[in-house]
């Protein structure tokens, strides 16, 4: 007898497939007409399907523990970031990192440092009893701008109509590079917490050892090795694909999916050696299209944007399911009022003031308006979640004698980081996801209100005035008016005669052309127009075909320029026959 199989797998696959299908049915309407981001919509859908909502998706039933959920979220985020950053590197023009290194150096050096310190100071000032080193760790997690959420302002109809191409490219390059460069800021804080957080009681070496490890392991092994590894793998992949494509070894499907498989390979291998897989993916994607060949070959391809959309919808739906929503209200870290104020202040002062200070030195930012736009749209998303779980893994190792009890100075650090980073991600997704539609609504609303308040009499008079405007072209007599005549006639209140539309398209000679209608005075013109309007308002009785007189059209002969015209031919033309030369 058939039975229902309400297993977790069936429910999750059904919910995920149904949501993606429903979203796809109205995706163009939501994204291109209402300018809503797929990240915001998917996050809200995840909340609706989570245990906080309909309880269709129950992550604790699948994972079994919070540690397993954290591991799943970390690996899923690594996968999405790896694919996104390879695609971001592929989207950039040839040798972009080499030709635009000066503005990128400003954005990745002084800019990121200022963002890190400003965010850390805000966190330290608003969160009660939070050590400054812990605030530095929280600030490092949210310093990088997210490449996934940046797609909202660099892709689609809004970006095509409002964002210059140079600004789009610099945003893509910055968001791709600074994701991997969040490691130095984070691990400087984590190493200092480890070696001097408890006064050096648990770990010997002090600040000197912490700075030494930061230079050696973080900059040397994690950052520089990932750059070299990504460049070598990207160059080898480019040459191999060139070699096989020239010899027709590669079919079209494998050619299109090559960048995605490259992202998976780099993510896995960099994870094995413990290097920075995020930065390596971005460098590999840019080197892979260093000669612009692959980018131009796949410019009109829809496979990569499709995979991009599927990953974005899925990851933010998962974030909506696993986000600790209850901890925003009930926690031992910060009251909800201060938490909201902190989120607003970070979105306003984390990035915008420093862009306003440096935008004149960045050629891609043209003017104050573009500087304000770029300064405000510095989203916090997948990269912050990635560094959040990297921090949680590192803090879990700070146990004296490898026991289960954490050190006293980091006993609450995991809760602090989780609550603050998750809330900032939610704030950024909501605020940046609604900024464009609300801005568009605020732009069109005053115009709509002003139009609705217009007097009906003004509208009627405007319509009547439009009827009295002069005709700029008369096909029967007057020809075409000059611009000066048209402007002078438009300022005149007298009505011009209205002529019947129709007639021959071949102009008559000047000798046979009837005189222009300039001889009509104003009274005759007005009477003529009144009679014409009256004839339109009073339909006459239909006439039979026999009563309609046949038109008497002149006979014309068309000659081309290469045909010679003799006096004999002209004399042989019958009366009323007009010869016209082209």
């Amino acid at each position: 007898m058939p039975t229902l199989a309400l297993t977790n797998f069936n429910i999750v696959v059904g919910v995920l497939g149904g949501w993606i299908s429903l979203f796809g049915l109205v995706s163009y309407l939501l994204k291109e007409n209402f300018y809503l981001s797929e990240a915001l919509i998917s996050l809200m859908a995840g909340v609706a399907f989570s245990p906080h909502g309909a309880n269709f998706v129950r992550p604790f039933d699948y994972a079994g523990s919070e540690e397993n959920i954290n591991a799943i979220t970390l690996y899923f985020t690594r996968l999405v970031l790896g694919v996104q950053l390879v695609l971001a590197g592929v989207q950039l023009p040839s040798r972009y990192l080499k030709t635009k290194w000066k503005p990128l150096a400003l954005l990745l050096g002084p800019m990121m440092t200022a963002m890190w310190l400003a965010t850390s100071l805000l966190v330290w000032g608003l969160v009660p009893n939070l050590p400054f080193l812990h605030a530095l760790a929280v600030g490092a997690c949210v310093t990088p701008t997210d490449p996934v959420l940046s797609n909202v302002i660099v892709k689609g109809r809004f970006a095509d109509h409002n964002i210059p191409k140079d600004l789009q490219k610099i945003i893509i390059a910055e968001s791709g590079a600074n994701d991997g460069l969040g490691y130095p800021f984070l691990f400087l804080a984590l190493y200092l917490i480890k070696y001097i957080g408890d006064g050096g009681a648990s770990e010997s070496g002090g600040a000197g050892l912490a700075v030494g490890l930061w230079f050696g392991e973080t900059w040397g092994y994690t950052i520089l090795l990932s750059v070299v590894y990504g460049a070598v793998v990207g160059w080898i992949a480019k040459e191999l694909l060139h070699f096989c494509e020239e010899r027709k070894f590669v079919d079209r499907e494998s050619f299109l999916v090559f960048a995605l498989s490259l992202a998976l390979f780099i993510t896995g291998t960099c994870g094995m050696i413990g290097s920075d897989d995020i930065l390596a993916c971005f460098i590999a994607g840019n080197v892979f299209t260093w000669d612009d060949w692959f980018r131009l070959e796949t410019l009109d391809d829809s496979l990569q944007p499709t995979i991009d959309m599927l990953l974005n919808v899925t990851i933010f739906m998962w974030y909506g399911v696993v986000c600790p929503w209850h901890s925003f209200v009930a926690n031992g870290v910060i009251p909800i009022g201060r938490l909201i104020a902190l989120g607003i202040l970070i979105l306003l002062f984390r990035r915008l003031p420093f862009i306003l200070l440096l935008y004149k030195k960045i050629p891609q930012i043209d003017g104050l308006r573009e500087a304000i736009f770029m300064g405000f749209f510095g989203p916090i998303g997948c990269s912050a979640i990635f560094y959040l779980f990297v921090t949680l893994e590192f803090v879990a190792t700070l146990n004296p004698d490898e026991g289960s009890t954490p050190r006293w100075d980091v006993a609450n650090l995991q809760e602090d980081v989780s609550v603050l980073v998750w809330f900032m991600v939610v704030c950024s997704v909501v605020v940046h996801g609604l900024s464009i539609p609300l801005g568009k609504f605020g732009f069109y609303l005053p115009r709509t209100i002003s139009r609705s308040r217009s007097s009906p009499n003004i509208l009627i008079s405007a319509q009547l005035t439009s009827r009295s405007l002069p005709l700029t072209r008369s096909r029967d007599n007057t020809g075409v008016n000059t611009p000066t005549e048209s402007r002078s006639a438009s300022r005149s209140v007298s009505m011009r005669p209205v002529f019947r539309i129709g007639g021959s398209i071949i102009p008559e000679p000047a000798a046979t052309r009837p005189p222009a209608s300039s001889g009509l005075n104003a009274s005759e013109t007005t009477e003529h127009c009144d009679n014409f309007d009256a004839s339109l308002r009073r339909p006459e009785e239909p006439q039979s075909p026999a009563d309609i007189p046949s038109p008497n059209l002149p006979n014309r002969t068309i000659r081309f320029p290469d045909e010679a015209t003799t006096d004999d031919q002209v004399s042989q033309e019958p009366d009323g026959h007009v010869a016209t030369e082209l």
Side-chain angles (χ1 to χ4, degrees), residues 29 41 59 70 114 155 162 316 325 358 382 398 486 554 578:
L29 176 67
I41 301 171
N70 293 344
K155 292 182 180 180
N162 299 277
F316 279 97
W325 299 97
L358 296 176
C382 294
L398 300 181
S486 299
V578 179

mmCIF file of all heavy atoms in Angstrom, residues 29 41 59 70 114 155 162 316 325 358 382 398 486 554 578:
data_model
loop_
_atom_site.group_PDB
_atom_site.id
_atom_site.type_symbol
_atom_site.label_atom_id
_atom_site.label_comp_id
_atom_site.label_asym_id
_atom_site.label_seq_id
_atom_site.Cartn_x
_atom_site.Cartn_y
_atom_site.Cartn_z
ATOM 1 N N LEU A 29 10.524 40.534 -13.300
ATOM 2 C CA LEU A 29 9.694 41.585 -12.718
ATOM 3 C C LEU A 29 10.317 42.134 -11.445
ATOM 4 O O LEU A 29 10.362 43.350 -11.224
ATOM 5 C CB LEU A 29 8.298 41.031 -12.434
ATOM 6 C CG LEU A 29 7.316 41.961 -11.728
ATOM 7 C CD1 LEU A 29 6.953 43.128 -12.624
ATOM 8 C CD2 LEU A 29 6.071 41.195 -11.300
ATOM 9 N N ILE A 41 15.434 38.591 -1.355
ATOM 10 C CA ILE A 41 14.243 37.753 -1.519
ATOM 11 C C ILE A 41 14.508 36.345 -1.011
ATOM 12 O O ILE A 41 13.673 35.739 -0.323
ATOM 13 C CB ILE A 41 13.826 37.741 -2.995
ATOM 14 C CG1 ILE A 41 13.524 39.166 -3.462
ATOM 15 C CG2 ILE A 41 12.615 36.854 -3.211
ATOM 16 C CD1 ILE A 41 13.321 39.286 -4.961
ATOM 17 N N PRO A 59 17.417 22.354 9.880
ATOM 18 C CA PRO A 59 18.854 22.039 9.739
ATOM 19 C C PRO A 59 19.398 21.178 10.860
ATOM 20 O O PRO A 59 20.318 20.376 10.632
ATOM 21 C CB PRO A 59 19.513 23.426 9.716
ATOM 22 C CG PRO A 59 18.538 24.328 10.375
ATOM 23 C CD PRO A 59 17.186 23.806 10.048
ATOM 24 N N ASN A 70 27.679 24.677 11.549
ATOM 25 C CA ASN A 70 28.718 25.676 11.269
ATOM 26 C C ASN A 70 29.685 25.192 10.189
ATOM 27 O O ASN A 70 30.095 25.975 9.305
ATOM 28 C CB ASN A 70 29.483 26.005 12.546
ATOM 29 C CG ASN A 70 28.621 26.715 13.572
ATOM 30 O OD1 ASN A 70 27.540 27.225 13.261
ATOM 31 N ND2 ASN A 70 29.084 26.745 14.815
ATOM 32 N N ALA A 114 41.473 51.723 7.010
ATOM 33 C CA ALA A 114 40.572 52.692 7.635
ATOM 34 C C ALA A 114 39.202 52.069 7.931
ATOM 35 O O ALA A 114 38.608 52.325 8.988
ATOM 36 C CB ALA A 114 40.417 53.915 6.729
ATOM 37 N N LYS A 155 25.311 44.631 -12.224
ATOM 38 C CA LYS A 155 24.640 43.831 -13.245
ATOM 39 C C LYS A 155 23.178 44.252 -13.315
ATOM 40 O O LYS A 155 22.613 44.751 -12.360
ATOM 41 C CB LYS A 155 24.724 42.327 -12.930
ATOM 42 C CG LYS A 155 26.121 41.737 -13.023
ATOM 43 C CD LYS A 155 26.084 40.248 -12.746
ATOM 44 C CE LYS A 155 27.481 39.641 -12.834
ATOM 45 N NZ LYS A 155 27.461 38.173 -12.557
ATOM 46 N N ASN A 162 22.680 53.391 -15.186
ATOM 47 C CA ASN A 162 23.068 54.380 -14.187
ATOM 48 C C ASN A 162 24.527 54.311 -13.751
ATOM 49 O O ASN A 162 25.043 55.309 -13.239
ATOM 50 C CB ASN A 162 22.192 54.224 -12.929
ATOM 51 C CG ASN A 162 20.724 54.449 -13.215
ATOM 52 O OD1 ASN A 162 20.234 55.569 -13.255
ATOM 53 N ND2 ASN A 162 19.985 53.352 -13.404
ATOM 54 N N PHE A 316 21.792 32.238 0.135
ATOM 55 C CA PHE A 316 21.083 33.181 1.003
ATOM 56 C C PHE A 316 19.800 32.573 1.564
ATOM 57 O O PHE A 316 19.353 32.981 2.641
ATOM 58 C CB PHE A 316 20.798 34.477 0.253
ATOM 59 C CG PHE A 316 21.981 35.394 0.208
ATOM 60 C CD1 PHE A 316 22.820 35.426 -0.889
ATOM 61 C CD2 PHE A 316 22.280 36.211 1.294
ATOM 62 C CE1 PHE A 316 23.928 36.253 -0.914
ATOM 63 C CE2 PHE A 316 23.383 37.037 1.276
ATOM 64 C CZ PHE A 316 24.214 37.054 0.172
ATOM 65 N N TRP A 325 18.298 34.112 14.566
ATOM 66 C CA TRP A 325 17.419 35.276 14.669
ATOM 67 C C TRP A 325 17.060 35.591 16.121
ATOM 68 O O TRP A 325 16.960 36.760 16.501
ATOM 69 C CB TRP A 325 16.147 35.043 13.849
ATOM 70 C CG TRP A 325 16.385 34.830 12.391
ATOM 71 C CD1 TRP A 325 16.461 33.644 11.748
ATOM 72 C CD2 TRP A 325 16.584 35.848 11.402
ATOM 73 N NE1 TRP A 325 16.707 33.835 10.403
ATOM 74 C CE2 TRP A 325 16.770 35.185 10.161
ATOM 75 C CE3 TRP A 325 16.618 37.240 11.421
ATOM 76 C CZ2 TRP A 325 16.996 35.877 8.973
ATOM 77 C CZ3 TRP A 325 16.828 37.934 10.234
ATOM 78 C CH2 TRP A 325 17.015 37.253 9.039
ATOM 79 N N LEU A 358 39.168 60.022 -0.625
ATOM 80 C CA LEU A 358 40.112 59.496 -1.608
ATOM 81 C C LEU A 358 39.594 59.503 -3.040
ATOM 82 O O LEU A 358 40.358 59.152 -3.947
ATOM 83 C CB LEU A 358 40.492 58.050 -1.242
ATOM 84 C CG LEU A 358 41.238 57.836 0.074
ATOM 85 C CD1 LEU A 358 41.441 56.348 0.332
ATOM 86 C CD2 LEU A 358 42.576 58.555 0.063
ATOM 87 N N CYS A 382 28.600 37.249 2.116
ATOM 88 C CA CYS A 382 29.182 35.910 2.243
ATOM 89 C C CYS A 382 30.589 35.941 2.829
ATOM 90 O O CYS A 382 30.966 35.042 3.598
ATOM 91 C CB CYS A 382 29.206 35.233 0.871
ATOM 92 S SG CYS A 382 27.581 34.878 0.190
ATOM 93 N N LEU A 398 41.522 27.728 21.538
ATOM 94 C CA LEU A 398 42.107 28.438 22.685
ATOM 95 C C LEU A 398 41.581 27.838 23.978
ATOM 96 O O LEU A 398 40.872 28.473 24.770
ATOM 97 C CB LEU A 398 41.781 29.935 22.603
ATOM 98 C CG LEU A 398 42.290 30.663 21.355
ATOM 99 C CD1 LEU A 398 41.915 32.137 21.400
ATOM 100 C CD2 LEU A 398 43.795 30.497 21.200
ATOM 101 N N SER A 486 9.560 77.646 -38.286
ATOM 102 C CA SER A 486 8.805 76.794 -37.363
ATOM 103 C C SER A 486 8.777 77.398 -35.977
ATOM 104 O O SER A 486 7.746 77.387 -35.304
ATOM 105 C CB SER A 486 9.439 75.398 -37.317
ATOM 106 O OG SER A 486 9.409 74.818 -38.582
ATOM 107 N N PRO A 554 -2.709 64.258 -63.294
ATOM 108 C CA PRO A 554 -1.884 64.575 -64.485
ATOM 109 C C PRO A 554 -1.005 63.388 -64.863
ATOM 110 O O PRO A 554 -0.615 62.580 -64.029
ATOM 111 C CB PRO A 554 -1.035 65.752 -63.992
ATOM 112 C CG PRO A 554 -0.968 65.571 -62.525
ATOM 113 C CD PRO A 554 -2.290 64.990 -62.119
ATOM 114 N N VAL A 578 3.276 65.892 -67.998
ATOM 115 C CA VAL A 578 4.395 66.556 -67.340
ATOM 116 C C VAL A 578 5.553 65.585 -67.234
ATOM 117 O O VAL A 578 5.374 64.459 -66.739
ATOM 118 C CB VAL A 578 3.997 67.066 -65.934
ATOM 119 C CG1 VAL A 578 5.187 67.724 -65.266
ATOM 120 C CG2 VAL A 578 2.821 68.024 -66.042
#
